[in-house]
Amino acid sequence: MSCDQLSCARIGCDAAAIINILAHRDATQRSLIQQEYETTYSDELRKHLSSQLTGHLKKAVLLWMHEPGARDAYIAKKAVRGKVKDHKAVSEITCFRTSSQIGQLKRAYFINVGTNLEDDIESEASGHHRKVFPL
């Protein structure tokens, strides 16, 4: 059903339909929707959504299409290595995740960035921020 509803976006449905489908699903369900979409339409759902959406909505939807650990790793990379350091984003990720989720984040960060998150935080953070992040 969800895959069929997303297919209407192929012909120009509004963003509300996409939000309604994806925002009310967990990561496992979104992954299954992606697989079904790709099998049905021989097209990547992320690529399709990227072409249909713009602005903050596009960014948010594309982030939610990743597995949670990979999404957190992407956000952490931008927060730690970006031009503007976003200590709040790193704090939220590290303080509000379980130890299992932190482990997934660290693995995804290392796979996607090629360095340890702890090392990047230590080299990029200053002062009290180094002490605050519970990694």
Side-chain angles (χ1 to χ4, degrees):
M1 172 88 169
S2 297
C3 183
D4 293 335
Q5 290 171 321
L6 283 174
S7 72
C8 79
R10 297 173 67 82
I11 56 174
C13 282
D14 67 332
I18 294 169
I19 293 168
N20 190 40
I21 294 165
L22 299 177
H24 296 99
R25 305 300 191 280
D26 65 24
T28 303
Q29 292 168 323
R30 285 190 300 272
S31 179
L32 291 172
I33 290 170
Q34 283 185 82
Q35 291 172 10
E36 183 181 344
Y37 184 92
E38 291 170 10
T39 299
T40 303
Y41 298 104
S42 300
D43 191 16
E44 289 183 37
L45 181 56
R46 282 187 210 153
K47 188 170 93 174
H48 173 68
L49 292 172
S50 181
S51 71
Q52 296 294 311
L53 303 172
T54 61
H56 294 296
L57 177 61
K58 176 180 178 176
K59 183 178 177 182
V61 167
L62 293 178
L63 278 173
W64 276 103
M65 296 306 294
H66 290 283
E67 292 298 319
R71 179 181 58 243
D72 286 347
Y74 175 83
I75 293 168
K77 176 186 171 194
K78 292 289 186 183
V80 173
R81 291 183 155 204
K83 289 181 181 180
V84 176
K85 308 302 181 219
D86 187 354
H87 299 295
K88 182 180 176 185
V90 177
S91 295
E92 288 181 18
I93 291 170
T94 58
C95 292
F96 294 103
R97 301 298 186 265
T98 65
S99 58
S100 173
Q101 291 169 326
I102 293 291
Q104 292 172 354
L105 161 63
K106 288 179 180 181
R107 284 188 293 281
Y109 191 90
F110 185 79
I111 289 168
N112 293 313
V113 180
T115 61
N116 290 317
L117 178 57
E118 300 98 321
D119 294 342
D120 282 355
I121 288 174
E122 180 146 342
S123 68
E124 298 293 334
S126 60
H128 298 293
H129 289 108
R130 288 185 193 172
K131 298 174 188 174
V132 173
F133 300 126
L135 294 172

